[in-house]
Amino acid sequence: MEINSEVSISLEQDAAAVRNAVAAARAGLVERELIAELVALCAVAGEHLLVIGAPGTAKSEAVRRVAGSLGGSYFEYLLGRFTEPNEVFGPVDLRRLRDGVVEIETAGMLPEADVAFLDEVFLGSTAILNTLLGILNERVFRRGRTAVASPLRVCVGAANTLPDDPALAAFADRFLARLFVEPVPDARLEELLEAGWRLPDVVREEPANLMDAVDRLATAARRCEMSSVQPLIGTAIRRLRAAGIHLSDRRAVRVQRLVAAAAVLDGRRSASAADLWVLPLIVPTADTQAVAREVLVDLVEKAGNQSLAYAAEEFSRGAQARAGRLAETGRALLDELDDTPPDRDLRLRAEATLREIDAWFATTDLTEPLRSVRTSLAAAVSA
Protein backbone atom coordinates (compact mmCIF):
# COMPACT_ATOMS: atom_id res chain seq x y z
CA MET A 1 0.00 0.00 0.00
CA GLU A 2 2.85 2.36 0.82
CA ILE A 3 4.43 1.84 -2.62
CA ASN A 4 1.10 2.46 -4.38
CA SER A 5 0.63 5.64 -2.33
CA GLU A 6 4.07 6.91 -3.36
CA VAL A 7 3.33 6.09 -7.01
CA SER A 8 0.02 7.99 -6.83
CA ILE A 9 1.74 10.99 -5.29
CA SER A 10 4.34 10.92 -8.07
CA LEU A 11 1.58 10.81 -10.70
CA GLU A 12 -0.22 13.74 -9.10
CA GLN A 13 3.02 15.71 -8.86
CA ASP A 14 3.88 15.10 -12.51
CA ALA A 15 0.33 16.01 -13.58
CA ALA A 16 0.52 19.19 -11.48
CA ALA A 17 3.89 20.12 -13.01
CA VAL A 18 2.55 19.75 -16.55
CA ARG A 19 -0.66 21.54 -15.57
CA ASN A 20 1.33 24.52 -14.28
CA ALA A 21 3.44 24.56 -17.45
CA VAL A 22 0.34 24.57 -19.64
CA ALA A 23 -1.23 27.34 -17.53
CA ALA A 24 1.92 29.43 -17.98
CA ALA A 25 1.80 28.84 -21.73
CA ARG A 26 -1.90 29.78 -21.90
CA ALA A 27 -1.36 33.12 -20.15
CA GLY A 28 -2.00 35.89 -22.65
CA LEU A 29 -3.36 33.59 -25.35
CA VAL A 30 -6.82 34.58 -26.54
CA GLU A 31 -8.96 31.79 -28.02
CA ARG A 32 -5.83 29.65 -28.45
CA GLU A 33 -5.78 27.98 -25.05
CA LEU A 34 -6.95 24.78 -26.73
CA ILE A 35 -3.77 24.46 -28.79
CA ALA A 36 -1.56 24.67 -25.70
CA GLU A 37 -3.61 22.08 -23.85
CA LEU A 38 -3.89 19.66 -26.76
CA VAL A 39 -0.11 19.73 -27.35
CA ALA A 40 0.34 18.51 -23.76
CA LEU A 41 -2.41 15.89 -24.18
CA CYS A 42 -0.85 14.52 -27.37
CA ALA A 43 2.66 14.55 -25.88
CA VAL A 44 1.48 12.28 -23.06
CA ALA A 45 -0.57 10.13 -25.45
CA GLY A 46 2.36 9.78 -27.88
CA GLU A 47 0.17 11.01 -30.71
CA HIS A 48 0.35 13.96 -33.11
CA LEU A 49 -1.84 17.02 -33.57
CA LEU A 50 -3.04 18.69 -36.77
CA VAL A 51 -4.17 22.33 -36.46
CA ILE A 52 -6.18 23.77 -39.33
CA GLY A 53 -6.75 27.50 -39.53
CA ALA A 54 -6.20 30.65 -41.57
CA PRO A 55 -2.78 32.35 -41.54
CA GLY A 56 -2.17 34.75 -38.67
CA THR A 57 -4.25 32.87 -36.11
CA ALA A 58 -1.36 32.36 -33.64
CA LYS A 59 -0.97 28.63 -34.25
CA SER A 60 2.82 28.73 -34.08
CA GLU A 61 2.84 31.12 -31.09
CA ALA A 62 0.70 28.75 -29.02
CA VAL A 63 2.85 25.71 -29.84
CA ARG A 64 6.05 27.66 -29.24
CA ARG A 65 4.82 28.75 -25.82
CA VAL A 66 3.82 25.33 -24.56
CA ALA A 67 7.03 23.80 -25.90
CA GLY A 68 8.98 26.47 -24.05
CA SER A 69 7.05 25.82 -20.83
CA LEU A 70 7.63 22.07 -21.02
CA GLY A 71 11.33 22.49 -21.80
CA GLY A 72 13.27 20.01 -23.88
CA SER A 73 14.37 20.62 -27.46
CA TYR A 74 12.07 22.30 -29.94
CA PHE A 75 12.12 22.37 -33.75
CA GLU A 76 9.99 24.63 -35.92
CA TYR A 77 9.96 25.04 -39.70
CA LEU A 78 7.77 26.49 -42.42
CA LEU A 79 7.61 24.00 -45.28
CA GLY A 80 7.32 25.02 -48.93
CA ARG A 81 7.32 23.40 -52.34
CA PHE A 82 11.08 23.78 -52.64
CA THR A 83 12.10 22.91 -49.07
CA GLU A 84 14.98 20.44 -49.14
CA PRO A 85 15.09 17.45 -46.76
CA ASN A 86 18.35 18.70 -45.24
CA GLU A 87 16.52 21.85 -44.03
CA VAL A 88 14.33 19.67 -41.83
CA PHE A 89 16.35 16.56 -41.01
CA GLY A 90 19.91 17.86 -41.25
CA PRO A 91 22.69 18.11 -43.84
CA VAL A 92 24.84 15.28 -45.19
CA ASP A 93 28.09 14.86 -43.23
CA LEU A 94 30.63 15.93 -45.83
CA ARG A 95 33.53 14.28 -44.04
CA ARG A 96 31.85 10.89 -44.20
CA LEU A 97 30.66 11.56 -47.74
CA ARG A 98 34.30 11.77 -48.88
CA ASP A 99 34.60 8.15 -47.76
CA GLY A 100 31.56 7.23 -49.82
CA VAL A 101 29.23 7.00 -46.79
CA VAL A 102 25.96 8.98 -46.62
CA GLU A 103 25.32 10.03 -43.03
CA ILE A 104 23.20 12.90 -41.75
CA GLU A 105 24.12 15.44 -39.09
CA THR A 106 20.87 15.62 -37.12
CA ALA A 107 21.98 17.88 -34.26
CA GLY A 108 19.43 20.66 -33.71
CA MET A 109 17.09 19.31 -36.39
CA LEU A 110 13.71 17.55 -36.27
CA PRO A 111 15.04 14.00 -35.61
CA GLU A 112 16.44 15.19 -32.25
CA ALA A 113 13.48 17.36 -31.17
CA ASP A 114 11.17 16.60 -28.24
CA VAL A 115 8.43 18.83 -29.66
CA ALA A 116 8.17 19.83 -33.33
CA PHE A 117 5.98 22.28 -35.24
CA LEU A 118 5.72 22.07 -39.02
CA ASP A 119 3.79 24.91 -40.60
CA GLU A 120 2.16 24.33 -44.00
CA VAL A 121 2.93 20.67 -43.46
CA PHE A 122 1.17 19.50 -46.63
CA LEU A 123 3.47 21.58 -48.85
CA GLY A 124 6.41 19.29 -48.06
CA SER A 125 7.89 17.28 -50.91
CA THR A 126 7.34 13.54 -51.25
CA ALA A 127 10.87 12.95 -49.93
CA ILE A 128 10.17 15.01 -46.82
CA LEU A 129 6.74 13.51 -46.11
CA ASN A 130 7.93 9.91 -46.62
CA THR A 131 10.85 10.45 -44.25
CA LEU A 132 8.57 12.22 -41.80
CA LEU A 133 6.21 9.25 -41.75
CA GLY A 134 8.96 7.07 -40.30
CA ILE A 135 9.54 9.54 -37.49
CA LEU A 136 5.82 10.00 -36.77
CA ASN A 137 5.02 6.29 -36.78
CA GLU A 138 8.14 4.66 -35.40
CA ARG A 139 10.09 7.55 -33.81
CA VAL A 140 13.05 6.55 -36.01
CA PHE A 141 14.84 8.67 -38.63
CA ARG A 142 16.40 6.70 -41.49
CA ARG A 143 18.39 8.09 -44.39
CA GLY A 144 21.44 6.53 -46.00
CA ARG A 145 23.53 4.88 -43.28
CA THR A 146 21.86 7.01 -40.61
CA ALA A 147 19.31 5.42 -38.29
CA VAL A 148 18.54 7.64 -35.30
CA ALA A 149 15.99 6.96 -32.57
CA SER A 150 13.98 10.17 -32.24
CA PRO A 151 12.89 11.48 -28.81
CA LEU A 152 9.88 13.17 -30.45
CA ARG A 153 6.91 13.27 -28.07
CA VAL A 154 4.56 15.21 -30.32
CA CYS A 155 4.64 16.75 -33.78
CA VAL A 156 2.16 19.53 -34.48
CA GLY A 157 1.33 20.01 -38.15
CA ALA A 158 -0.44 23.15 -39.29
CA ALA A 159 -2.18 24.08 -42.52
CA ASN A 160 -4.76 26.53 -43.83
CA THR A 161 -7.06 23.77 -45.12
CA LEU A 162 -7.27 20.00 -45.28
CA PRO A 163 -5.77 18.50 -48.46
CA ASP A 164 -7.93 17.13 -51.28
CA ASP A 165 -5.18 14.88 -52.66
CA PRO A 166 -5.85 11.28 -51.47
CA ALA A 167 -2.11 10.70 -50.93
CA LEU A 168 -1.88 13.74 -48.65
CA ALA A 169 -5.10 12.74 -46.91
CA ALA A 170 -3.46 9.41 -46.05
CA PHE A 171 -0.50 11.31 -44.60
CA ALA A 172 -2.87 13.57 -42.62
CA ASP A 173 -4.43 10.47 -41.08
CA ARG A 174 -1.20 9.96 -39.11
CA PHE A 175 -2.20 12.99 -37.02
CA LEU A 176 -4.74 11.44 -34.67
CA ALA A 177 -6.05 14.65 -33.09
CA ARG A 178 -7.42 17.53 -35.15
CA LEU A 179 -8.22 21.07 -34.07
CA PHE A 180 -9.91 23.69 -36.26
CA VAL A 181 -9.30 27.31 -35.29
CA GLU A 182 -11.06 30.50 -36.35
CA PRO A 183 -10.03 34.16 -35.98
CA VAL A 184 -10.70 35.64 -32.52
CA PRO A 185 -14.41 36.60 -32.28
CA ASP A 186 -15.45 40.26 -32.15
CA ALA A 187 -16.41 40.04 -28.48
CA ARG A 188 -12.79 39.37 -27.47
CA LEU A 189 -11.00 41.79 -29.80
CA GLU A 190 -10.09 44.23 -27.01
CA GLU A 191 -8.64 41.37 -25.00
CA LEU A 192 -6.64 40.27 -28.05
CA LEU A 193 -5.31 43.78 -28.64
CA GLU A 194 -4.27 44.17 -25.02
CA ALA A 195 -2.57 40.77 -24.88
CA GLY A 196 -0.77 41.38 -28.18
CA TRP A 197 0.45 44.80 -27.02
CA ARG A 198 1.84 43.41 -23.75
CA LEU A 199 3.50 40.39 -25.37
CA PRO A 200 6.91 41.96 -26.18
CA ASP A 201 7.26 43.08 -22.54
CA VAL A 202 6.64 39.64 -21.04
CA VAL A 203 9.76 38.29 -19.33
CA ARG A 204 9.75 34.53 -18.99
CA GLU A 205 11.91 32.57 -16.60
CA GLU A 206 14.02 29.73 -17.92
CA PRO A 207 11.66 26.73 -17.70
CA ALA A 208 12.46 23.45 -16.06
CA ASN A 209 12.77 20.48 -18.41
CA LEU A 210 9.57 18.55 -17.80
CA MET A 211 10.15 15.90 -20.43
CA ASP A 212 10.89 13.31 -17.73
CA ALA A 213 7.51 14.12 -16.15
CA VAL A 214 5.84 13.84 -19.57
CA ASP A 215 7.49 10.44 -20.07
CA ARG A 216 6.36 9.19 -16.66
CA LEU A 217 2.82 10.32 -17.42
CA ALA A 218 3.06 8.60 -20.82
CA THR A 219 4.10 5.37 -19.10
CA ALA A 220 1.19 5.70 -16.67
CA ALA A 221 -1.16 6.31 -19.61
CA ARG A 222 -0.05 3.08 -21.30
CA ARG A 223 -0.90 1.22 -18.08
CA CYS A 224 -4.17 3.07 -17.48
CA GLU A 225 -7.17 0.93 -16.57
CA MET A 226 -9.55 1.23 -19.53
CA SER A 227 -12.09 -1.56 -18.99
CA SER A 228 -14.82 0.69 -17.60
CA VAL A 229 -14.80 3.08 -20.58
CA GLN A 230 -14.19 0.69 -23.48
CA PRO A 231 -17.93 -0.12 -23.80
CA LEU A 232 -18.65 3.63 -23.87
CA ILE A 233 -15.99 4.20 -26.53
CA GLY A 234 -17.51 1.36 -28.56
CA THR A 235 -20.93 2.98 -28.28
CA ALA A 236 -19.47 6.32 -29.36
CA ILE A 237 -17.76 4.85 -32.44
CA ARG A 238 -20.97 3.10 -33.49
CA ARG A 239 -22.92 6.34 -33.16
CA LEU A 240 -20.36 8.28 -35.18
CA ARG A 241 -20.36 5.69 -37.97
CA ALA A 242 -24.16 5.64 -37.97
CA ALA A 243 -24.08 9.43 -38.41
CA GLY A 244 -22.03 8.97 -41.58
CA ILE A 245 -18.65 9.81 -40.04
CA HIS A 246 -16.03 7.38 -41.33
CA LEU A 247 -13.48 6.35 -38.73
CA SER A 248 -10.89 3.71 -39.50
CA ASP A 249 -10.29 0.85 -37.08
CA ARG A 250 -6.86 2.33 -36.39
CA ARG A 251 -8.31 5.66 -35.25
CA ALA A 252 -10.96 3.87 -33.16
CA VAL A 253 -8.26 1.91 -31.34
CA ARG A 254 -5.82 4.79 -30.92
CA VAL A 255 -8.36 7.19 -29.45
CA GLN A 256 -7.91 5.14 -26.28
CA ARG A 257 -4.47 6.72 -25.99
CA LEU A 258 -6.04 10.16 -25.81
CA VAL A 259 -8.58 8.95 -23.23
CA ALA A 260 -5.82 7.44 -21.09
CA ALA A 261 -3.66 10.56 -21.40
CA ALA A 262 -6.58 12.73 -20.29
CA ALA A 263 -7.05 10.50 -17.24
CA VAL A 264 -3.44 10.62 -16.05
CA LEU A 265 -3.23 14.38 -16.66
CA ASP A 266 -6.21 14.58 -14.31
CA GLY A 267 -4.19 12.63 -11.75
CA ARG A 268 -5.96 9.27 -12.18
CA ARG A 269 -4.80 5.79 -13.15
CA SER A 270 -8.24 4.64 -14.31
CA ALA A 271 -10.12 6.24 -17.20
CA SER A 272 -13.74 7.25 -16.70
CA ALA A 273 -16.60 8.93 -18.52
CA ALA A 274 -14.99 12.24 -17.51
CA ASP A 275 -12.27 11.59 -20.10
CA LEU A 276 -14.52 10.97 -23.11
CA TRP A 277 -14.42 14.63 -24.18
CA VAL A 278 -11.42 13.71 -26.38
CA LEU A 279 -13.61 11.65 -28.75
CA PRO A 280 -14.53 14.49 -31.17
CA LEU A 281 -10.82 15.20 -31.68
CA ILE A 282 -10.38 12.16 -33.91
CA VAL A 283 -13.21 13.19 -36.26
CA PRO A 284 -11.69 14.41 -39.56
CA THR A 285 -13.39 17.72 -40.46
CA ALA A 286 -14.80 20.77 -38.70
CA ASP A 287 -18.34 19.97 -39.90
CA THR A 288 -18.22 16.36 -38.77
CA GLN A 289 -16.73 17.39 -35.42
CA ALA A 290 -19.83 19.54 -34.90
CA VAL A 291 -22.00 16.51 -35.71
CA ALA A 292 -19.93 14.39 -33.33
CA ARG A 293 -20.56 16.76 -30.44
CA GLU A 294 -24.29 16.47 -31.06
CA VAL A 295 -24.47 12.67 -31.26
CA LEU A 296 -22.13 12.20 -28.26
CA VAL A 297 -23.66 14.86 -26.03
CA ASP A 298 -24.95 12.47 -23.37
CA LEU A 299 -21.67 10.48 -23.27
CA VAL A 300 -19.45 13.51 -22.68
CA GLU A 301 -21.69 15.63 -20.45
CA LYS A 302 -19.80 14.57 -17.30
CA ALA A 303 -16.42 15.50 -18.77
CA GLY A 304 -13.87 17.49 -16.83
CA ASN A 305 -10.12 17.82 -16.47
CA GLN A 306 -8.22 19.99 -14.02
CA SER A 307 -5.13 20.11 -16.26
CA LEU A 308 -6.95 20.66 -19.56
CA ALA A 309 -9.95 22.68 -18.43
CA TYR A 310 -10.47 24.69 -21.62
CA ALA A 311 -10.27 21.67 -23.92
CA ALA A 312 -12.59 19.56 -21.76
CA GLU A 313 -15.18 22.34 -21.76
CA GLU A 314 -14.90 23.06 -25.49
CA PHE A 315 -15.29 19.47 -26.65
CA SER A 316 -17.89 18.37 -24.12
CA ARG A 317 -19.90 21.57 -23.67
CA GLY A 318 -20.75 20.03 -20.28
CA ALA A 319 -21.58 21.82 -17.03
CA GLN A 320 -18.95 19.91 -15.04
CA ALA A 321 -16.16 20.91 -17.42
CA ARG A 322 -17.37 24.53 -17.47
CA ALA A 323 -17.42 24.63 -13.67
CA GLY A 324 -13.85 23.31 -13.60
CA ARG A 325 -12.65 25.94 -16.07
CA LEU A 326 -14.36 28.79 -14.23
CA ALA A 327 -12.94 27.60 -10.90
CA GLU A 328 -9.45 27.55 -12.40
CA THR A 329 -9.91 31.01 -13.91
CA GLY A 330 -11.18 32.33 -10.59
CA ARG A 331 -8.26 30.88 -8.63
CA ALA A 332 -5.79 32.48 -11.04
CA LEU A 333 -7.51 35.85 -10.58
CA LEU A 334 -7.45 35.45 -6.79
CA ASP A 335 -3.71 34.77 -6.95
CA GLU A 336 -3.25 37.99 -8.92
CA LEU A 337 -5.43 39.91 -6.47
CA ASP A 338 -3.30 38.63 -3.59
CA ASP A 339 -0.04 39.59 -5.32
CA THR A 340 -0.90 43.08 -6.58
CA PRO A 341 -3.25 45.95 -5.67
CA PRO A 342 -6.44 45.48 -7.74
CA ASP A 343 -6.24 47.87 -10.70
CA ARG A 344 -9.19 48.64 -12.97
CA ASP A 345 -8.34 45.91 -15.50
CA LEU A 346 -8.00 43.20 -12.86
CA ARG A 347 -11.23 44.24 -11.18
CA LEU A 348 -13.09 44.16 -14.52
CA ARG A 349 -11.78 40.67 -15.25
CA ALA A 350 -12.91 39.48 -11.83
CA GLU A 351 -16.36 41.02 -12.33
CA ALA A 352 -16.63 39.42 -15.78
CA THR A 353 -15.80 36.00 -14.29
CA LEU A 354 -18.43 36.47 -11.59
CA ARG A 355 -21.01 37.37 -14.24
CA GLU A 356 -20.11 34.28 -16.26
CA ILE A 357 -20.46 32.05 -13.19
CA ASP A 358 -23.86 33.51 -12.39
CA ALA A 359 -25.00 33.29 -16.01
CA TRP A 360 -24.27 29.57 -16.24
CA PHE A 361 -25.03 28.29 -12.72
CA ALA A 362 -27.77 28.75 -10.18
CA THR A 363 -26.50 29.14 -6.62
CA THR A 364 -27.80 25.67 -5.75
CA ASP A 365 -25.94 24.09 -8.70
CA LEU A 366 -22.46 25.38 -7.85
CA THR A 367 -19.81 22.76 -7.17
CA GLU A 368 -18.00 23.25 -3.88
CA PRO A 369 -14.72 24.46 -5.52
CA LEU A 370 -16.64 26.93 -7.70
CA ARG A 371 -18.76 28.10 -4.76
CA SER A 372 -15.62 28.81 -2.75
CA VAL A 373 -13.97 30.67 -5.65
CA ARG A 374 -17.12 32.73 -6.27
CA THR A 375 -17.37 33.75 -2.62
CA SER A 376 -13.71 34.81 -2.51
CA LEU A 377 -13.97 36.72 -5.81
CA ALA A 378 -17.11 38.55 -4.69
CA ALA A 379 -15.42 39.55 -1.43
CA ALA A 380 -12.29 40.76 -3.27
CA VAL A 381 -14.30 42.82 -5.76
CA SER A 382 -16.52 44.40 -3.09
CA ALA A 383 -13.46 45.29 -1.02
Side-chain angles (χ1 to χ4, degrees):
M1 289 295 292
E2 197 170 311
I3 294 176
N4 288 337
S5 177
E6 290 177 1
V7 169
S8 295
I9 291 172
S10 175
L11 175 67
E12 291 170 2
Q13 290 173 341
D14 287 337
V18 173
R19 176 168 65 249
N20 292 336
V22 171
R26 282 195 321 243
L29 290 175
V30 179
E31 292 285 321
R32 298 296 173 260
E33 300 90 348
L34 292 180
I35 298 178
E37 292 188 348
L38 294 182
V39 170
L41 173 72
C42 289
V44 172
E47 293 293 344
H48 307 294
L49 172 65
L50 184 61
V51 182
I52 305 296
T57 47
K59 300 185 291 290
S60 59
E61 175 64 22
V63 178
R64 199 178 299 126
R65 283 199 192 190
V66 73
S69 293
L70 292 174
S73 59
Y74 175 63
F75 180 83
E76 177 179 323
Y77 209 80
L78 171 62
L79 297 183
R81 297 291 182 194
F82 304 106
T83 302
E84 296 289 339
N86 60 13
E87 298 174 58
V88 178
F89 307 113
V92 174
D93 186 334
L94 296 178
R95 291 166 298 184
R96 296 288 288 148
L97 187 60
R98 293 190 190 101
D99 300 328
V101 178
V102 178
E103 287 191 0
I104 309 300
E105 296 179 348
T106 58
M109 307 304 283
L110 188 146
E112 297 193 15
D114 296 306
V115 178
F117 176 71
L118 296 176
D119 204 357
E120 298 294 354
V121 65
F122 299 121
L123 294 183
S125 66
T126 301
I128 289 177
L129 297 186
N130 286 343
T131 304
L132 186 58
L133 275 176
I135 299 178
L136 296 183
N137 293 341
E138 306 167 34
R139 301 306 198 278
V140 175
F141 167 67
R142 295 186 181 88
R143 190 177 176 202
R145 290 279 295 274
T146 303
V148 176
S150 173
L152 187 67
R153 274 71 170 188
V154 56
C155 178
V156 181
N160 299 336
T161 59
L162 287 171
D164 295 324
D165 186 334
L168 291 177
F171 171 76
D173 194 58
R174 301 300 176 172
F175 294 82
L176 180 64
R178 295 188 180 185
L179 177 65
F180 298 85
V181 298
E182 298 290 342
V184 172
D186 291 351
R188 301 192 69 183
L189 283 177
E190 287 80 7
E191 189 179 349
L192 172 68
L193 294 172
E194 181 185 354
W197 185 253
R198 287 200 314 260
L199 183 60
D201 299 325
V202 175
V203 177
R204 300 190 183 277
E205 299 178 0
E206 187 67 24
N209 190 335
L210 297 179
M211 286 301 152
D212 287 343
V214 169
D215 289 344
R216 287 191 293 269
L217 290 170
T219 298
R222 288 193 293 272
R223 298 170 180 170
C224 186
E225 175 55 50
M226 297 290 292
S227 58
S228 65
V229 295
Q230 284 169 337
L232 295 176
I233 295 173
T235 297
I237 299 299
R238 278 191 291 272
R239 286 191 192 178
L240 293 173
R241 288 176 171 173
I245 299 172
H246 172 71
L247 292 174
S248 65
D249 292 345
R250 177 176 60 202
R251 295 181 80 78
V253 170
R254 293 177 81 93
V255 73
Q256 294 179 106
R257 296 189 179 195
L258 297 180
V259 173
V264 299
L265 280 166
D266 206 31
R268 294 177 282 108
R269 292 186 175 275
S270 297
S272 73
D275 306 308
L276 296 181
W277 59 268
V278 304
L279 292 174
L281 283 168
I282 67 167
V283 176
T285 68
D287 290 340
T288 51
Q289 281 193 1
V291 173
R293 294 181 195 190
E294 292 293 328
V295 301
L296 301 179
V297 63
D298 60 318
L299 292 180
V300 301
E301 63 182 354
K302 295 182 179 179
N305 194 291
Q306 58 183 339
S307 295
L308 310 171
Y310 285 85
E313 179 184 2
E314 172 65 21
F315 287 99
S316 70
R317 306 288 170 87
Q320 186 169 324
R322 183 174 293 111
R325 192 263 302 171
L326 286 170
E328 180 183 353
T329 300
R331 282 191 290 267
L333 285 169
L334 289 170
D335 288 342
E336 289 189 61
L337 288 165
D338 287 342
D339 293 341
T340 60
D343 59 14
R344 178 175 177 275
D345 176 61
L346 190 54
R347 184 180 296 276
L348 288 173
R349 286 162 55 200
E351 290 173 352
T353 300
L354 283 170
R355 286 195 299 272
E356 189 175 2
I357 292 172
D358 293 341
W360 282 108
F361 297 96
T363 304
T364 53
D365 295 334
L366 292 172
T367 62
E368 186 51 43
L370 188 56
R371 186 188 307 278
S372 174
V373 164
R374 190 199 178 285
T375 300
S376 299
L377 271 181
V381 169
S382 61

